Amino acid sequence: MVLASTLKKDKRRSEAFNQERINNQCWEASLKYSNMLIKNIDSKDLYSISASIYGQYMSELKSRSLPMENKNYTQIWTTMLNSIKRGNHSRMAIKLLHQTNCQHSS
């Protein structure tokens, strides 16, 4: 009985560790692409550049078979894109995206 309980606990621990590893990979990829965006923050056509970099980010997640649906690391990108599209504090939205990525990646 104790052995079965220990095995279940070890399995849950292993699954949680694997989920955390996947989550960290996604945040690190998001940071990599937000760094690209920060380098282009003074560009004229910020929305096109942002949409392009977002597409590259999503392609990387897909190619690495990482989860993309209903995840914070993808939702912050769509929020940033919507803010830029509306023209609401575009540079601020990019800086907030980058700050969030820095906090989650450390």
Side-chain angles (χ1 to χ4, degrees):
M1 189 70 160
V2 173
L3 180 62
S5 175
T6 303
L7 290 175
K8 284 182 182 179
K9 188 189 318 179
D10 287 345
K11 183 179 179 186
R12 285 193 316 267
R13 184 178 297 133
S14 176
E15 289 170 355
F17 178 76
N18 189 42
Q19 183 60 42
E20 183 179 356
R21 183 183 56 79
I22 290 169
N23 202 30
N24 287 340
Q25 288 177 348
C26 295
W27 281 109
E28 287 170 9
S30 184
L31 177 61
K32 178 174 94 173
Y33 289 99
S34 73
N35 278 327
M36 295 168 114
L37 200 50
I38 287 290
K39 289 178 184 174
N40 292 294
I41 201 165
D42 293 323
S43 297
K44 298 282 184 208
D45 191 7
L46 205 50
Y47 180 74
S48 295
I49 291 170
S50 299
S52 175
I53 292 173
Y54 169 72
Q56 293 172 25
Y57 169 58
M58 294 304 284
S59 291
E60 180 172 335
L61 292 181
K62 186 175 182 179
S63 70
R64 293 170 63 186
S65 299
L66 296 170
M68 300 184 315
E69 305 268 330
N70 299 319
K71 298 292 183 176
N72 288 343
Y73 48 80
T74 57
Q75 289 174 350
I76 61 170
W77 278 87
T78 55
T79 300
M80 180 271 304
L81 281 173
N82 288 335
S83 295
I84 292 174
K85 192 175 187 178
R86 287 192 309 263
N88 295 344
H89 309 288
S90 300
R91 291 170 47 98
M92 184 85 66
I94 291 171
K95 287 179 181 181
L96 184 59
L97 167 76
H98 187 67
Q99 179 184 3
T100 304
N101 283 319
C102 289
Q103 290 172 342
H104 280 278
S105 295
S106 57

